[in-house]
Amino acid sequence: MYTVGGQRILVVDAQVHVWDASPHNQAIPDGEAYATDLLRRHRELDGAGVPPHEAERVSEQSLTRDVFGAGHVDRAVLQPVVLGDLFVLGFSPLEWHAEMAGWMPGRFVLSGELDPGGGQPGARGLGPRVRRFDLRGLTLCERHRPRGWQRLDDPWLRRTLGRAAAGGADVVHLGVGPSTLPAPWRREFGGPAPPPGAALRRPPRVPRWAEPVQAGSALPVRTRAAERVAPAGFDPAQFRDLARALPHVRFVLGAGCLPERRLLRLAELPNVHVLLTEILPWIGSEDFAHAFGALLRAFGADRLLFGSGYPLVRPGRLVRELAAYRFPDHLRHRYPRFDTSAKRVVLGDNAARLYRIGRPLPSAAAGA
């Protein structure tokens, strides 16, 4: 447990992935292009001292050391992302998460996956998976190559989410997952500078010779150039109808899933929460102060969740900097006070309440 203002607080990282972007798992060329761009973002945000092979593939050793070893994080929520068209064995599937949770009991909460574009047949077997893996939530994302848009108005989706919530998976994540594109918040605020020490490098081109060829032919299987994978977009009006129809479901949106104004309007829905992963790497910049302050004012501290997006960013620095964060003097009058009580709920209590996580036994805490 971490100490903030003399108080020991529970820290829950609400976005962690166990992914494998290593070359043997890439479906060339698109998988290689995605992995190259994702690892470039990792180097920009938190690449100091991380061997490339550990950024490509998460192991039990690296997860234990980077997430739990420093004593900053007590529990973590594993978010799946399959991307079956880009990775041969899947990028970050539920089955790997369940295996990791079995090796490290008491550390993780599992979230499942549901593809809104897969139709009702794609939801078959979801109920047994919820019970088998004790899923506390569902991540809405496409199992294959994202097309950049998700429909949320199909009646089957509403029914499926309602049944999953009745079975225990009553948290729905939308716009939560690793992406090779910057969050809309950065574009609106003009783009804050990267953290100190970040390396700015242009991603290397995927070599033409690496494209697979059809059997007996020199023609590449894919003639379309690989594109960056953006977070799936959605219609806020469709989402608003879905959230109102399922008031007992808690929806968690990524801080970068919508432009600022559209996201803030959804604060009127009491069952909508925001995961801060996409803006946390820029703690200390004025752009972060405006983005975080706007979310704090609209949603309140009780509906904001801490997340690192590990292994994109290791959580230790983010925990320390958020626990010590104060708005710049010239902005304090514009935004609500972010005191010790607010830090406690954002860093862990909100996620513990949503995902039904018990508090760990007292242990040696790190100072803040």
Side-chain angles (χ1 to χ4, degrees):
M1 300 182 76
Y2 200 72
T3 302
V4 178
Q7 300 182 23
R8 295 160 67 91
I9 68 171
L10 173 72
V11 178
V12 179
D13 191 333
Q15 185 182 348
V16 171
H17 307 279
V18 176
W19 73 38
D20 184 357
S22 53
H24 79 274
N25 195 31
Q26 298 165 7
I28 298 175
D30 287 357
E32 184 175 3
Y34 176 80
T36 299
D37 218 27
L38 189 71
L39 296 176
R40 175 190 61 82
R41 281 201 65 206
H42 164 73
R43 289 194 301 270
E44 291 175 356
L45 298 176
D46 190 28
V50 180
H53 70 276
E54 291 193 1
E56 286 181 342
R57 186 177 186 274
V58 177
S59 66
E60 180 184 5
Q61 292 74 25
S62 61
L63 188 66
T64 302
R65 181 193 65 230
D66 296 337
V67 177
F68 303 112
H72 294 77
V73 175
D74 299 295
R75 300 287 187 268
V77 182
L78 294 177
Q79 305 284 0
V81 183
V82 174
L83 298 179
D85 287 354
L86 305 184
F87 296 91
V88 178
L89 302 176
F91 179 63
S92 180
L94 169 62
E95 290 74 16
W96 295 357
H97 292 176
E99 185 176 12
M100 191 69 73
W103 292 340
M104 304 171 66
R107 287 292 196 178
F108 297 109
V109 167
L110 299 182
S111 178
E113 186 180 51
L114 180 64
D115 182 0
Q120 193 164 359
R124 290 173 182 165
L126 180 61
R129 287 200 301 274
V130 170
R131 294 188 294 271
R132 175 187 174 189
F133 296 109
D134 186 25
L135 302 182
R136 309 290 174 87
L138 294 175
T139 300
L140 299 188
C141 59
E142 294 170 296
R143 292 188 60 83
H144 300 287
R145 183 175 180 85
R147 295 183 294 273
W149 193 258
Q150 292 182 345
R151 284 192 58 184
L152 304 177
D153 60 348
D154 286 329
W156 74 266
L157 179 63
R158 186 178 302 180
R159 295 194 299 269
T160 299
L161 294 180
R163 288 196 296 267
D170 56 353
V171 181
V172 174
H173 314 99
L174 191 59
V176 174
S179 165
T180 61
L181 295 181
W185 292 87
R186 292 187 63 193
R187 294 194 291 272
E188 286 199 2
F189 284 104
L200 292 176
R201 302 184 181 95
R202 294 182 62 86
R205 293 181 57 189
V206 178
R208 295 286 299 175
W209 54 261
E211 296 182 357
V213 296
Q214 297 174 352
S217 170
L219 297 176
V221 173
R222 298 177 178 88
T223 58
R224 174 177 54 81
E227 299 174 353
R228 293 185 175 187
V229 177
F234 58 92
D235 185 342
Q238 293 181 6
F239 172 77
R240 187 176 285 105
D241 292 340
L242 181 67
R244 286 173 174 165
L246 299 170
H248 57 292
V249 174
R250 281 77 62 83
F251 291 88
V252 177
L253 304 180
C257 70
L258 289 172
E260 176 196 6
R261 295 176 182 84
R262 294 185 180 181
L263 181 59
L264 296 180
R265 291 192 194 106
L266 297 177
E268 68 185 29
L269 303 170
N271 57 335
V272 175
H273 303 69
V274 174
L275 185 58
L276 301 172
T277 303
E278 287 164 302
I279 65 173
L280 285 177
W282 290 276
I283 292 180
S285 70
E286 186 152 330
D287 293 301
F288 171 82
H290 286 295
F292 179 61
L295 288 171
L296 191 63
R297 183 171 55 199
F299 288 88
D302 291 338
R303 289 196 284 158
L304 301 180
L305 282 72
F306 169 80
S308 68
Y310 180 84
L312 200 60
V313 181
R314 290 168 291 182
R317 173 179 68 89
L318 303 181
V319 172
R320 293 191 300 269
E321 294 185 359
L322 187 60
Y325 185 74
R326 295 181 179 179
F327 286 104
D329 291 340
H330 65 285
L331 295 178
R332 288 183 184 178
H333 67 283
R334 296 184 54 178
Y335 300 117
R337 184 183 177 190
F338 190 52
D339 56 14
T340 300
S341 177
K343 293 173 183 178
R344 171 190 288 273
V345 296
V346 172
L347 280 167
D349 285 358
N350 292 338
R353 170 172 48 84
L354 261 61
Y355 300 104
R356 306 189 300 280
I357 298 174
R359 299 184 69 83
L361 294 175
S363 59

